[in-house]
Amino acid sequence: MTDEVYLFLFNVQPLIMTTSEPEHDFEKEDFSGAYDHKRIVADAEKAFVSLLKPDYNVVRFASYPKGTDGLNGSDFVRYGYAICEAVSFDTPHGRIRGSRDAATGFITNDADSIFIEGNTVKLFVSGVDFPADPPLAATDAASQVNQKEEKQGGV
């Protein structure tokens, strides 16, 4: 019998966006950008494991997003996770795909996303729950058609 080790390594890079109501008092706002990286990493691990339930994880975080070391109870109203690499993680319990634009290094709409709001955790699948990026060839073809129509006095 062979022992197998599976590693799901990732580097969590937070992107934090804040929205405010028009009457918000910005004079009392802390714009330092400070955040607890360890809590974000712990929460990201729990989010992926609780949804994908990989066979090699003994701990499944069944009560996620509830917990003491993640983002539950933080000031975030909603938060999410996506994989900015062209990889797919498949388990008998689910699949999540990442994506990254080779030219820019940025994530694309081809990546699935996990979003958490309150005690609700949902996997949003690209092309099913929101539009995926059109293939580059289709984008180029549509652009060429539009340019041709503009030259001919259409559109």
Side-chain angles (χ1 to χ4, degrees), residues 81-136:
Y81 301 101
I83 300 171
C84 186
E85 291 293 335
V87 297
S88 175
F89 293 98
D90 298 302
T91 72
H93 302 280
R95 172 179 145 190
I96 188 163
R97 292 175 301 151
S99 180
R100 177 162 86 172
D101 183 290
T104 65
F106 294 124
I107 197 161
T108 71
N109 261 15
D110 291 331
D112 301 333
S113 301
I114 299 171
F115 277 95
I116 300 91
E117 185 169 355
N119 289 324
T120 303
V121 180
K122 182 165 182 192
L123 173 64
F124 288 90
V125 177
S126 176
V128 176
D129 297 312
F130 59 91
D133 285 337
L136 186 57

Side-chain angles (χ1 to χ4, degrees), residues 146-155:
N146 288 340
Q147 289 174 2
K148 184 177 178 182
E149 288 175 350
E150 287 172 5
K151 287 179 185 176
Q152 295 175 351
V155 184

Side-chain angles (χ1 to χ4, degrees), residues 33-95:
Y35 56 87
D36 188 340
H37 194 76
K38 286 184 178 183
R39 289 178 67 102
I40 294 171
V41 170
D43 198 85
E45 175 191 10
K46 290 171 177 56
F48 284 97
V49 170
S50 71
L51 282 175
L52 295 176
K53 299 175 181 65
D55 291 339
Y56 47 85
N57 269 74
V58 176
V59 179
R60 298 283 178 95
F61 309 108
S63 62
Y64 180 80
K66 294 178 183 175
T68 58
D69 64 344
L71 295 177
N72 186 264
S74 68
D75 291 338
F76 296 117
V77 174
R78 73 190 58 79
Y79 49 96
Y81 301 101
I83 300 171
C84 186
E85 291 293 335
V87 297
S88 175
F89 293 98
D90 298 302
T91 72
H93 302 280
R95 172 179 145 190

